[in-house]
Amino acid sequence: MYKRALYIFIIGLLMMSCSQQSDPQTAARCLEEAETALANDSIYQGETLLRKAIQLSEASEDWHTHYIAYQRLAEALSQSNPEEALKLMKKALSVYEQHPDNERNYVMLLDYAGTYAAQVAFNAEGSFDEALGFINRAYDIAEKQQMKDMMCQTLTSRANIVWAQEDYRQALDLAHRAESVATTNLKPGTQQVLARCYLSLNMLDSAETVYRQIDPGNDVHLAYIVQSNLAKIALRRMGATQVEDSVDEAFLQIEDFYYKALDQKDQYYQETLRQEMENQQLDYRSKMYGRTLLITIIASLIVILAMILAVRYRMRAQRRERELEQSKLENELLLQEQEKRQLQQEAAHQKAQLHQANEVVAFLQNHILERTAVIQKLNQSGDSLITLSPHEWSEIERTLNAIDNNRFAHIREQYPEMQEDDIRLCILTRLGISNRTIGNIYCITISAVQHRKLKLKKDVFGESNPDITLEQILTS
């Protein structure tokens, strides 16, 4: 009793010491950390966390997080590696189509896939058919469900693809349609595409009007696009084509500086994050060491106290156990002796009853068989030819089944391939008819009867032991 209480208490202490450990990281939490890292322009950290989220979500069958993580990773890689981004988006679509949960997410996945397919086609100067296939499927679902924001997004994406195909008029029409259903947060992006179409058609006034309507807010990259294109419009009006090319080159350099600054910011963020994690680990270890030491001291005191109590309890228990065992042993010996005598008496009585019952049964069976006309006919025939009619064979078999627990009915059921002559030979053997009499019935010699019995024993009953006779098989 004391030992069990001690073990339970020690286990409780160990569980308390481990209770402060951090919970295992889930896929959803890993996705949140990745999005936080990407929001802080930590691209490498975000990619690492997204790949981990993909593994965790697949292992836990969290399919929503699984395809969202694929989408976010594709979005993070879209600028540096559009081919990989397209592959990831196709995986996201495959996961969603196997485990659908929200049609708005499906539209977004299709739109992203179309955008990345268009980037790949633009870089490789290939066909935009795959990109348009994704975008058109997304638009059809958005229009059917009347998702205004998704309709705007997909129309904008189609306008971008058509513009890349240099069909500026159709791109302008699609951009106008997108602007007509644009929400407040999507309007700057739609206006950007619309202004680009005006600029490609050399409609400088319309392009300038749209660019000046765009409010970039805190989006530095959008502000750069607006200002660079306004500068291009001014230079194009002046006819300064060469200067426009120089301005383009200057803005490209500025954009390169911008991305380098983002990379440096990412490195600083990762270094800061690494230091914070190291500090947290050191603080956690110091707390764990202190807690472990305290628990160890308390557990040691409890163990010593429990050992003292256990020794005293064990000494008293041993004395009681010896007394009880001695008393039980004496009682058990007495009971065993009584039970042994009683079992011997019962066994002798049952043996005598069984022997009497067997003798009565055997007497009755023999009496019934002896009174049967067919048996009398067999016993009185001597060496003369014996002929039994089918009715007589049927009568003797019914009699045997009646007094012998349906033995031959079971034989017929268990060995359906046996011939009727074999059944009759078994009947005569079970009746104890001599081989001479059986030979008179079948008109064969005694040795032929013995041969038939041996063949029947081996071929039908599968008994090859020469010490076991057909009579023993039928009796058992």
Side-chain angles (χ1 to χ4, degrees):
M1 179 178 178
Y2 285 103
K3 286 185 177 180
R4 183 180 299 175
L6 175 62
Y7 293 152
I8 293 173
F9 188 78
I10 292 175
I11 291 171
L13 291 175
L14 293 175
M15 292 176 64
M16 289 174 57
S17 66
C18 299
S19 63
Q20 299 299 324
Q21 293 182 358
S22 57
D23 295 333
Q25 193 173 30
T26 62
R29 183 171 180 180
C30 193
L31 178 61
E32 291 178 2
E33 293 177 357
E35 291 179 339
T36 302
L38 292 173
N40 287 280
D41 298 324
S42 181
I43 306 300
Y44 301 127
Q45 181 73 14
E47 290 178 9
T48 302
L49 290 171
L50 285 171
R51 294 185 191 279
K52 186 176 180 181
I54 289 171
Q55 295 176 353
L56 292 173
S57 59
E58 184 177 15
S60 61
E61 297 186 355
D62 182 0
W63 303 118
H64 177 81
T65 303
H66 197 50
Y67 74 76
I68 293 295
Y70 268 125
Q71 174 193 335
R72 296 289 192 270
L73 183 58
E75 188 177 356
L77 295 174
S78 59
Q79 295 296 327
S80 60
N81 193 346
E83 292 85 358
E84 181 67 18
L86 178 58
K87 291 179 182 178
L88 292 169
M89 282 309 305
K90 288 181 178 179
K91 289 183 180 179
L93 280 170
S94 176
V95 173
Y96 177 87
E97 288 167 355
Q98 294 176 15
H99 308 279
D101 60 1
N102 188 315
E103 286 201 337
R104 176 177 291 274
N105 289 340
Y106 191 36
V107 174
M108 293 176 64
L109 294 175
L110 289 169
D111 183 65
Y112 276 116
T115 301
Y116 302 149
Q119 287 179 338
V120 173
F122 182 79
N123 293 338
E125 298 182 359
S127 173
F128 289 88
D129 292 342
E130 184 181 24
L132 287 172
F134 286 125
I135 298 298
N136 289 335
R137 285 168 59 192
Y139 177 76
D140 291 341
I141 298 174
E143 185 180 29
K144 181 179 178 181
Q145 300 294 331
Q146 286 298 301
M147 305 175 189
K148 297 295 183 181
D149 54 342
M150 291 293 99
M151 290 172 62
C152 171
Q153 186 68 32
T154 51
L155 285 170
T156 303
S157 299
R158 287 172 63 184
N160 273 320
I161 295 173
V162 174
W163 179 86
Q165 292 177 314
E166 298 183 358
D167 188 354
Y168 303 130
R169 287 291 177 185
Q170 185 182 358
L172 181 63
D173 179 62
L174 290 169
H176 276 300
R177 289 173 59 190
E179 187 186 26
S180 66
V181 293
T183 56
T184 303
N185 60 322
L186 295 177
K187 199 151 192 170
T190 305
Q191 288 175 333
Q192 181 184 342
V193 178
L194 181 62
R196 186 195 306 150
C197 294
Y198 280 134
L199 189 59
S200 299
L201 291 169
N202 209 28
M203 301 170 66
L204 302 181
D205 292 340
S206 299
E208 182 180 4
T209 301
V210 175
Y211 273 125
R212 293 193 181 278
Q213 289 175 353
I214 297 175
D215 180 17
N218 296 325
D219 192 339
V220 178
H221 190 256
L222 181 58
Y224 148 73
I225 293 174
V226 171
Q227 294 304 320
S228 63
N229 282 286
L230 287 174
K232 289 180 185 179
I233 292 171
L235 291 172
R236 192 173 297 184
R237 282 174 175 164
M238 295 170 59
T241 307
Q242 187 174 3
V243 177
E244 183 180 351
D245 294 338
S246 299
V247 171
D248 282 341
E249 184 178 354
F251 275 114
L252 287 175
Q253 292 179 355
I254 293 172
E255 188 171 7
D256 185 53
F257 291 151
Y258 170 75
Y259 284 117
K260 286 182 178 178
L262 287 180
D263 188 56
Q264 291 178 355
K265 181 180 179 181
D266 183 19
Q267 293 178 0
Y268 172 76
Y269 176 79
Q270 288 189 57
E271 181 63 24
T272 304
L273 183 63
R274 185 184 63 80
Q275 291 180 356
E276 289 180 356
M277 291 179 65
E278 288 181 354
N279 293 335
Q280 289 177 358
Q281 289 178 354
L282 290 173
D283 184 55
Y284 174 75
R285 287 176 182 173
S286 63
K287 290 181 179 178
M288 286 299 298
Y289 288 151
R291 187 180 297 110
T292 304
L293 180 60
L294 178 61
I295 292 173
T296 303
I297 294 172
I298 295 174
S300 300
L301 294 174
I302 293 173
V303 169
I304 294 172
L305 179 60
M307 289 177 64
I308 296 172
L309 294 175
V311 169
R312 293 182 61 187
Y313 172 79
R314 187 173 182 181
M315 291 174 65
R316 290 197 300 268
Q318 285 177 348
R319 287 197 301 270
R320 293 177 183 174
E321 285 177 1
R322 284 195 296 269
E323 294 173 357
L324 289 174
E325 287 177 358
Q326 186 175 0
S327 176
K328 287 181 180 179
L329 183 60
E330 293 175 355
N331 293 332
E332 286 176 359
L333 290 174
L334 181 60
L335 290 174
Q336 288 176 0
E337 187 66 27
Q338 293 176 354
E339 290 176 357
K340 184 177 180 181
R341 287 198 299 269
Q342 185 177 358
L343 289 174
Q344 289 175 349
Q345 293 173 358
E346 290 178 356
H349 181 67
Q350 290 177 356
K351 185 176 180 181
Q353 287 182 337
L354 182 60
H355 180 69
Q356 293 176 0
N358 289 334
E359 287 182 350
V360 172
V361 169
F363 173 78
L364 292 175
Q365 288 178 346
N366 293 330
H367 180 71
I368 292 171
L369 289 173
E370 289 172 358
R371 298 293 295 260
T372 304
V374 179
I375 300 299
Q376 293 176 356
K377 180 179 180 180
L378 292 173
N379 291 332
Q380 295 173 1
S381 59
D383 293 334
S384 61
L385 178 64
I386 301 171
T387 303
L388 296 178
S389 66
H391 175 73
E392 290 173 327
W393 282 112
S394 178
E395 179 184 354
I396 193 63
E397 184 175 351
R398 282 199 306 272
T399 304
L400 279 174
N401 281 333
I403 67 174
D404 212 7
N405 197 20
N406 287 325
R407 183 180 304 278
F408 285 94
H410 295 323
I411 289 176
R412 285 182 181 276
E413 182 180 355
Q414 189 171 359
Y415 305 100
E417 72 278 2
M418 288 182 66
Q419 301 296 325
E420 191 64 31
D421 284 345
D422 294 335
I423 294 291
R424 290 174 178 177
L425 179 59
C426 290
I427 291 173
L428 294 171
T429 303
R430 178 69 183 90
L431 288 172
I433 303 300
S434 65
N435 290 341
R436 180 183 298 277
T437 304
I438 293 174
N440 293 336
I441 295 172
Y442 286 100
C443 297
I444 58 177
T445 64
I446 295 174
S447 61
V449 173
Q450 293 173 342
H451 178 72
R452 286 192 62 177
K453 285 185 177 182
L454 180 62
K455 188 173 185 301
L456 182 62
K457 182 183 73 169
K458 289 184 178 180
D459 296 347
V460 176
F461 296 105
E463 181 58 65
S464 59
N465 188 349
D467 296 332
I468 297 177
T469 63
L470 181 61
E471 288 82 354
Q472 292 173 334
I473 293 174
L474 294 174
T475 302
S476 61

